[in-house]
Amino acid sequence: MSGTLRPVTEIYLDRLARVRAAMDAQGVDALLVSVGHDLPYLTGYHAMPLERLTLLVVPRGGDAKLLIPRLEAPRVDEQPGVFDLVPWDETDDPVALAASLIPSAGEIAIGDQMWARFLVELLPHLPSASYRRAVDVVGPLRMAKDQAEIDALAAAGAAVDRIAAELQAGRIPLVGRTEAEVSADLSARIVAEGHQKVNFAIVAAGENAASPHHHAGGRVIRDDEIVLCDFGGTMDGYCSDITRCVFTGDVAAAAPDIAEAYEVLHEAQQAAVAAAVVGTPCEDVDRTARGIIADAGYGDYFVHRTGHGIGMEEHEDPYIVEGNGLALEAGHAFSIEPGIYVPGRWGMRLEDIVVAGADGPQPMNRADHALASLG
Amino acid sequence: MSGTLRPVTEIYLDRLARVRAAMDAQGVDALLVSVGHDLPYLTGYHAMPLERLTLLVVPRGGDAKLLIPRLEAPRVDEQPGVFDLVPWDETDDPVALAASLIPSAGEIAIGDQMWARFLVELLPHLPSASYRRAVDVVGPLRMAKDQAEIDALAAAGAAVDRIAAELQAGRIPLVGRTEAEVSADLSARIVAEGHQKVNFAIVAAGENAASPHHHAGGRVIRDDEIVLCDFGGTMDGYCSDITRCVFTGDVAAAAPDIAEAYEVLHEAQQAAVAAAVVGTPCEDVDRTARGIIADAGYGDYFVHRTGHGIGMEEHEDPYIVEGNGLALEAGHAFSIEPGIYVPGRWGMRLEDIVVAGADGPQPMNRADHALASLG
């Protein structure tokens, strides 16, 4: 994706140089990354999430090595100057091999999603080492998206916007179908609109919408209720994520309490998007949404943070949450998704992806923000 | 699945009691499991693979607690007596909470696939603790499948057998299509045959088949070449995995070298299945297949282990590999999948899932083992 303008290898060389600078600045002697997204960010290669270890070892002062099971080596696009490929054989011990490449008393940064079994196996090899999370080294680089990455997020966002528009126009049947059927329908559309992978397609009707991470099930959607749809996928390596709610009837007539709460939610979401300007601490963006919802009396019903970063991963830094004082920078990409959840009755959430830019917040989603009445 | 005969909670109580006995025997003070399959094995709950920690904490001498993000708590089917649910809030520190529940100088077993970031965060909380892999505690229990689990593996195996039969009968078009198109076709059939999830659908034609973990791509399948198909999914929590090769022509006439090598492979695979009897060390099963292939002169072309365990996970203990002296027990389930790979020319593999039983090896796959000629 980001290779459209520059040779691919040059992108990885640049990222590796910036990682090494971060390692120097933080006193990190070695970086170890495996499954997860730091590895493709730095090399273009996705490790297979299996018991045979794939590990990129970046010593502060030496060449990077990509340890890989020999039978998976043909999958790797080699990037000259970025890493050397080190295939290991079925009876080798790749953890011992990794330990031999790094300082035994060093400060080691460990990839977030590496399987813990490999860290447990590494510990006795390096009894004097100390450990930190790789996200603290690589995360700040991954947070600041370049233009090619922003373009990728925009393309994925436009794809889910098209699905949201169909939903809001009543062209995705709801009443009489189960949540699971609608979820399968959304999943098929996510792929049809150009994503290679479906990440989730939450469909929650009525009282089920009060559970923010509801698993779409056998509940049949009825007339005159709210249906929350939160869906996204991965397109060319970057993620989409959108939430829109619709009402299967005339909401003003059938459920004035829902209509009233939605106005508050809509105002809170738009205010938080507007607050997401470069230099603003993440927690201030959260407070903007939360303040409006609390002032209207729904504070106890907004039970989660306002948003999460997004990029190669569905959820990544920066998190838009109380306690995160990080100031937004140009290129930071994140969701703004306040919600109101009344247990046993109904729930609602409104979500866009936004990129902080020099000219203000750039929305990656433009689907209508109103609560569509499908009466 | 295994709840068809006994109340579900009773199954988990039984498994937890056996885990506690293993902890006692191995001197493990606490077991921590998160994403991966130990958690559903012990509780029925799959953790969401996201940055909010879900963690089952089993102290040797106290009640088990399932720490969970509050907004995911409604997803859990509570199992009275198995665990207490401990929801944590957005601004809580779940790692500190976990550390407060376990002995600070204990021996802690860590779930294999837990994200390493959480172990890195835990280390400073417990400076005197020591760590081991949870697979050493839970793995031996998970390896020995009960009858309900074997039935689930058999059902999943029968489903992929039906797809293999279609392939061998020439009812899945190959010539003129890309590997990726055939892979998508196999994936759709995996779901249509009753799996909830596709785990992989490797399709590798001609010289591509020489790469055991080939990623199906744009290569168009031609006449008179071997096509290796290795596919499987998850059905009701248990995995299928089968490999069959077909030849797009008359193999005896067009490629006598392939026909000859396949006879060796077939003999090696059948011999290894026959060798997989209770009491036999895993490495002896590997040696049986490897000996036959080496004796025929193809030893350098069999570049991977003979097999892997299978169950809730695609790959789990026991591994059928040199160096694994573990003796097979009744209920152990694993693949037998020798291969011969000639770089740049062709590759072949033949794979069944087998369960070691009191009455000998029970195959979970019965699709024809011959190299089908589709000429």
Side-chain angles (χ1 to χ4, degrees):
Chain A
M1 165 51 58
S2 38
T4 47
L5 301 175
R6 289 190 293 166
V8 168
T9 297
E10 192 182 302
I11 291 168
Y12 299 125
L13 283 171
D14 176 53
R15 289 177 178 171
L16 189 63
R18 287 188 289 135
V19 159
R20 288 189 185 280
M23 290 169 67
D24 277 340
Q26 297 184 38
V28 169
D29 296 297
L31 170 71
L32 308 186
V33 299
S34 179
V35 293
H37 293 80
D38 288 344
L39 183 60
Y41 182 78
L42 293 172
T43 68
Y45 183 70
H46 280 270
M48 295 186 76
L50 291 172
E51 75 292 348
R52 290 185 182 97
L53 179 64
T54 298
L55 189 71
L56 179 71
V57 180
V58 185
R60 197 169 169 182
D63 291 339
K65 312 275 187 193
L66 182 59
L67 310 190
I68 190 157
R70 186 174 298 281
L71 75 166
E72 292 166 17
R75 298 168 54 93
V76 179
D77 287 329
E78 299 201 41
Q79 306 292 346
V82 180
F83 58 83
D84 301 326
L85 205 58
V86 181
W88 57 268
D89 290 305
E90 291 285 69
T91 52
D92 289 342
D93 177 349
V95 172
L97 184 56
S100 74
L101 297 174
I102 60 186
S104 61
E107 174 86 12
I108 316 294
I110 299 290
D112 274 36
Q113 296 173 31
M114 185 165 97
W115 285 12
R117 78 183 278 170
F118 299 118
L119 177 53
V120 168
E121 291 174 0
L122 185 66
L123 293 174
H125 286 281
L126 303 170
S128 307
S130 54
Y131 297 90
R132 67 168 64 190
R133 310 180 320 172
V135 68
D136 300 328
V137 178
V138 188
L141 309 181
R142 280 183 49 196
M143 259 195 285
K145 271 69 178 175
D146 65 25
Q147 191 57 48
E149 293 180 288
I150 295 169
D151 292 347
L153 288 167
V160 289
D161 277 357
R162 292 190 291 272
I163 302 170
E166 292 288 295
L167 180 70
Q168 294 170 323
R171 286 195 289 266
I172 298 178
L174 299 175
V175 175
R177 298 173 85 198
T178 65
E179 295 169 340
E181 286 167 341
V182 177
S183 175
D185 192 339
L186 291 174
S187 295
R189 287 167 190 258
I190 288 168
V191 172
E193 289 290 354
H195 295 79
Q196 287 78 36
K197 182 163 167 275
V198 177
N199 292 331
F200 49 86
I202 295 171
V203 176
E207 73 290 347
N208 281 346
S211 170
H213 277 185
H214 178 66
H215 182 77
R219 160 83 152 77
V220 174
I221 298 169
R222 301 185 293 259
D223 282 320
D224 287 333
E225 62 184 9
I226 196 162
V227 182
L228 183 158
C229 299
D230 181 351
F231 50 96
T234 304
M235 182 188 290
D236 298 330
Y238 286 79
C239 294
S240 60
D241 188 355
I242 188 172
T243 307
R244 289 294 185 271
C245 295
V246 297
F247 192 86
T248 55
D250 178 348
V251 65
D257 55 334
I258 289 180
E260 182 181 313
Y262 194 89
E263 288 308 309
V264 173
L265 178 69
H266 189 172
E267 180 190 349
Q269 201 265 352
Q270 300 295 85
V273 171
V277 297
V278 170
T280 302
C282 291
E283 63 185 358
D284 284 8
V285 178
D286 181 83
R287 288 173 188 164
T288 297
R290 202 165 301 278
I292 291 169
I293 290 173
D295 285 349
Y298 299 101
D300 289 344
Y301 301 129
F302 179 16
V303 294
H304 56 70
R305 64 194 176 202
T306 291
H308 54 81
I310 190 167
M312 299 177 79
E313 261 172 291
E314 308 157 47
H315 290 182
E316 58 180 51
D317 285 322
Y319 292 96
I320 311 300
V321 63
E322 181 64 37
N324 187 4
L326 180 81
L328 291 174
E329 295 176 21
H332 285 188
F334 43 86
S335 69
I336 297 288
E337 52 174 314
I340 300 176
Y341 311 93
V342 184
R345 295 185 56 211
W346 48 258
M348 53 179 62
R349 181 163 64 250
L350 180 57
E351 174 183 29
D352 292 328
I353 302 303
V354 175
V355 176
D359 301 327
Q362 304 174 44
M364 301 288 111
N365 299 102
R366 298 174 184 281
D368 190 8
H369 292 81
L371 177 62
S373 269
L374 304 179
Chain B
M1 166 48 61
S2 37
T4 47
L5 300 175
R6 290 189 293 165
V8 168
T9 297
E10 192 183 302
I11 291 168
Y12 299 126
L13 283 171
D14 176 52
R15 289 177 178 171
L16 189 62
R18 287 188 288 136
V19 160
R20 288 189 185 280
M23 290 169 68
D24 277 340
Q26 298 185 38
V28 169
D29 297 298
L31 170 72
L32 308 185
V33 299
S34 179
V35 292
H37 293 81
D38 288 344
L39 183 59
Y41 182 78
L42 293 172
T43 68
Y45 183 70
H46 279 271
M48 294 185 76
L50 291 172
E51 75 292 350
R52 290 185 182 98
L53 178 64
T54 299
L55 189 70
L56 179 71
V57 181
V58 185
R60 198 167 167 184
D63 291 339
K65 313 274 188 194
L66 182 59
L67 310 189
I68 190 157
R70 186 174 298 282
L71 75 167
E72 292 166 16
R75 299 169 53 93
V76 179
D77 287 329
E78 299 200 42
Q79 306 292 346
V82 180
F83 58 83
D84 301 327
L85 206 58
V86 181
W88 57 268
D89 290 305
E90 291 284 69
T91 52
D92 290 342
D93 178 348
V95 172
L97 184 56
S100 74
L101 297 174
I102 59 186
S104 61
E107 174 86 13
I108 317 294
I110 299 290
D112 273 36
Q113 296 174 31
M114 185 165 96
W115 286 12
R117 79 183 277 169
F118 299 118
L119 177 53
V120 168
E121 291 173 0
L122 185 66
L123 293 174
H125 286 282
L126 304 170
S128 306
S130 54
Y131 297 90
R132 67 168 65 189
R133 310 180 320 172
V135 68
D136 300 327
V137 178
V138 188
L141 310 181
R142 279 183 49 196
M143 259 194 285
K145 272 69 178 175
D146 65 25
Q147 191 57 49
E149 294 180 289
I150 295 169
D151 292 347
L153 288 167
V160 289
D161 276 356
R162 292 191 291 273
I163 302 170
E166 292 289 296
L167 180 71
Q168 294 170 324
R171 286 195 289 266
I172 298 178
L174 299 175
V175 174
R177 297 173 86 199
T178 65
E179 295 168 340
E181 286 168 339
V182 177
S183 175
D185 192 339
L186 292 175
S187 295
R189 287 167 189 259
I190 288 168
V191 173
E193 289 290 354
H195 296 79
Q196 287 78 38
K197 182 162 166 274
V198 177
N199 292 332
F200 49 85
I202 295 171
V203 176
E207 74 289 349
N208 282 346
S211 170
H213 276 184
H214 178 66
H215 183 76
R219 159 83 152 76
V220 174
I221 298 169
R222 300 185 292 260
D223 282 320
D224 288 332
E225 62 185 8
I226 196 163
V227 182
L228 182 158
C229 299
D230 181 352
F231 50 97
T234 304
M235 182 189 289
D236 298 331
Y238 286 79
C239 294
S240 60
D241 188 354
I242 188 172
T243 307
R244 289 295 186 269
C245 295
V246 297
F247 192 85
T248 55
D250 178 348
V251 65
D257 56 335
I258 290 180
E260 181 182 313
Y262 194 88
E263 288 308 307
V264 174
L265 178 69
H266 189 172
E267 181 191 348
Q269 200 265 354
Q270 300 295 87
V273 170
V277 297
V278 169
T280 301
C282 291
E283 63 186 357
D284 284 7
V285 179
D286 181 82
R287 288 173 188 165
T288 297
R290 202 165 302 277
I292 290 169
I293 290 173
D295 286 349
Y298 299 101
D300 290 344
Y301 301 129
F302 178 17
V303 294
H304 56 70
R305 64 194 175 202
T306 291
H308 55 80
I310 190 167
M312 299 176 78
E313 263 173 289
E314 307 157 47
H315 290 183
E316 59 181 50
D317 285 321
Y319 292 97
I320 311 300
V321 62
E322 181 64 38
N324 186 5
L326 180 81
L328 290 174
E329 295 176 20
H332 285 187
F334 43 86
S335 68
I336 297 288
E337 51 174 314
I340 300 176
Y341 311 94
V342 184
R345 295 186 54 212
W346 48 258
M348 55 179 62
R349 182 163 63 251
L350 180 57
E351 174 184 30
D352 292 327
I353 303 303
V354 175
V355 176
D359 301 326
Q362 303 173 43
M364 301 288 111
N365 300 102
R366 298 174 184 279
D368 190 9
H369 291 82
L371 177 63
S373 269
L374 303 179

